[in-house]
Amino acid sequence: MERELLLLGLLRREDMHGYQLHEFIERNMTSCTDLKKPTAYHLLEKMTERGWLQPSPAQAGNRPARRVYRITPAGEAAFQALLRENVATHYPAYFTGNIGLAYLDALPAPEALARLRERHTSLAAELARLTAVPPHAGSLQWLIDHQRHHLRAELDWLETLIQHLTAVE
Amino acid sequence: MERELLLLGLLRREDMHGYQLHEFIERNMTSCTDLKKPTAYHLLEKMTERGWLQPSPAQAGNRPARRVYRITPAGEAAFQALLRENVATHYPAYFTGNIGLAYLDALPAPEALARLRERHTSLAAELARLTAVPPHAGSLQWLIDHQRHHLRAELDWLETLIQHLTAVE
DNA sequence: TTCTGAATAGTCCAGATTGACTATTCAGGA
DNA sequence: TCCTGAATAGTCAATCTGGACTATTCAGAA
């Protein structure tokens, strides 16, 4: 559902073909979703069947023909509805990485600490990488700001956890 | 992969059947994953085929026989490996709800604000609900602490966003 | 005692997802 | 010019996922 909103929103700004869409999402929207290429193509086909998109073959140079999608009025209507829903709702995020925390007591304390420090390192690196990104234009910047805020909070929490575990030895 | 860690970890503490496992996960681990019942059964079957679990039919009262799973030594080995990996790694969380934020400029500013306030309300309610939960025993408490910390950060961020948008009118 | 709705236990199958693959184009080096 | 590896564009088959379903048990109301 939200992946459809994502694709519609991009097509609203500009006609694009599948590869292009996937490329953009992978480069700029990794904090929202992890959309694989075949899934993107599948979604585009589905939305075309529904009449939300109008594909047209396009030739560029002598590359093989690509299917370029344009959003239809029905697609725009769907976008509007999905957007309103999305903005008004709080969607939970799932923390796969916390499953291990639930079983932390199965690990010898020193090893647990060592591994958590490893996690801390990659998390800090990720945050540093993100902080180095030059400011983007438009609403996309909110995504980066949010991600930064979120990673900062994760790092804080991880540090508290490590401190706690260190205290107990 | 992480869902397997989750199931193995529970079966390590106690033999259980599918319904029981799913029930527990739904009640206590919603912050880590959203594991549907049929998926849980599917995973249990797969792990059994791999030799990680040993199912045995169990009769309780005159209920229909249930398949009760016990973790095998191979399963314990898999658990250890998965746990170490999980603890040492930072897994990104995906914020489906931010897709809409990327397209916020497609909404009239007053409406965007109204909808974000709606989101704020449900987020605050969720946090309040969580804060009311009495402390749990053992490592599971980390999950609750983390979730609380995370929701607090989300709420802070949402408030900043709303303020920003209000300032621009 | 009988009935009803909730809880328990699990399954089916339609549809979503993705790892791995094909095939073409293109830039640059030898 | 020819070759190689990266980028472009998309597809296939196998697996994973979950909405909707069946069926039994149980507690309490009538």
Side-chain angles (χ1 to χ4, degrees), chain B:
Chain B
M1 200 86 278
E2 302 81 20
R3 285 137 114 92
E4 294 178 352
L5 172 62
L6 181 53
L7 291 168
L8 287 172
L10 293 178
L11 288 174
R12 232 176 133 253
R13 305 187 179 215
E14 191 184 350
D15 297 355
M16 284 197 251
H17 56 90
Y19 189 84
Q20 225 173 134
L21 284 160
H22 173 255
E23 199 65 2
F24 185 89
I25 291 170
E26 194 155 78
R27 284 199 204 296
N28 301 288
M29 326 273 287
T30 27
S31 67
C32 299
T33 191
D34 180 23
L35 182 64
K36 296 300 192 308
K37 203 143 41 94
T39 310
Y41 282 97
H42 173 70
L43 253 30
L44 289 169
E45 208 170 318
K46 243 188 21 175
M47 292 197 287
T48 302
E49 275 163 28
R50 264 185 228 149
W52 292 5
L53 301 180
Q54 176 67 55
S56 64
Q59 207 72 40
N62 49 355
R63 306 191 123 280
R66 295 166 302 186
R67 220 186 314 284
V68 169
Y69 292 92
R70 162 166 304 177
I71 192 167
T72 66
E76 171 67 20
F79 170 80
Q80 293 289 337
L82 289 173
L83 177 58
R84 281 165 166 79
E85 238 256 76
N86 185 285
V87 172
T89 312
H90 165 66
Y91 296 89
Y94 296 104
F95 293 89
T96 319
N98 285 11
I99 294 176
L101 299 188
Y103 304 133
L104 215 51
D105 46 13
L107 245 41
E111 180 174 359
L113 269 169
R115 303 220 172 237
L116 285 175
R117 292 215 181 84
E118 208 178 317
R119 184 193 282 211
H120 183 277
T121 303
S122 61
L123 182 47
E126 174 70 8
L127 178 57
R129 199 190 54 68
L130 199 66
T131 306
V133 168
H136 227 275
S139 299
L140 271 187
Q141 182 60 40
W142 291 126
L143 298 190
I144 299 176
D145 287 349
H146 174 269
Q147 188 66 4
R148 195 146 47 207
H149 188 84
H150 160 62
L151 290 180
R152 182 74 258 162
E154 282 297 289
L155 204 57
D156 285 351
W157 190 76
L158 187 51
E159 280 164 13
T160 313
L161 175 60
I162 289 174
Q163 230 128 66
H164 254 274
L165 295 183
T166 311
V168 191
E169 255 104 316

Side-chain angles (χ1 to χ4, degrees), chain A residues 23-153:
Chain A
E23 199 66 2
F24 185 89
I25 291 170
E26 195 156 77
R27 284 198 203 296
N28 302 288
M29 326 274 287
T30 28
S31 68
C32 299
T33 190
D34 180 24
L35 182 64
K36 297 300 193 310
K37 203 141 43 92
T39 311
Y41 282 98
H42 173 69
L43 253 28
L44 289 169
E45 206 172 318
K46 243 187 23 176
M47 291 196 287
T48 302
E49 276 163 26
R50 264 185 228 149
W52 292 4
L53 300 179
Q54 176 67 55
S56 65
Q59 207 73 38
N62 48 355
R63 304 190 125 282
R66 296 165 303 187
R67 221 187 314 285
V68 169
Y69 292 92
R70 161 165 304 177
I71 191 167
T72 65
E76 172 68 20
F79 170 80
Q80 293 289 336
L82 289 172
L83 177 59
R84 281 165 167 78
E85 239 256 77
N86 185 285
V87 172
T89 312
H90 164 66
Y91 296 89
Y94 296 104
F95 294 88
T96 320
N98 285 10
I99 293 175
L101 299 188
Y103 303 133
L104 215 50
D105 46 13
L107 244 41
E111 179 174 358
L113 267 169
R115 304 221 171 236
L116 284 175
R117 291 214 182 85
E118 209 178 316
R119 185 195 280 211
H120 183 276
T121 302
S122 60
L123 182 47
E126 173 72 7
L127 179 57
R129 199 190 55 66
L130 200 67
T131 306
V133 169
H136 228 277
S139 300
L140 271 187
Q141 183 59 41
W142 291 126
L143 297 190
I144 300 177
D145 286 350
H146 174 269
Q147 189 64 3
R148 195 146 47 209
H149 188 84
H150 160 61
L151 290 180
R152 183 73 257 161

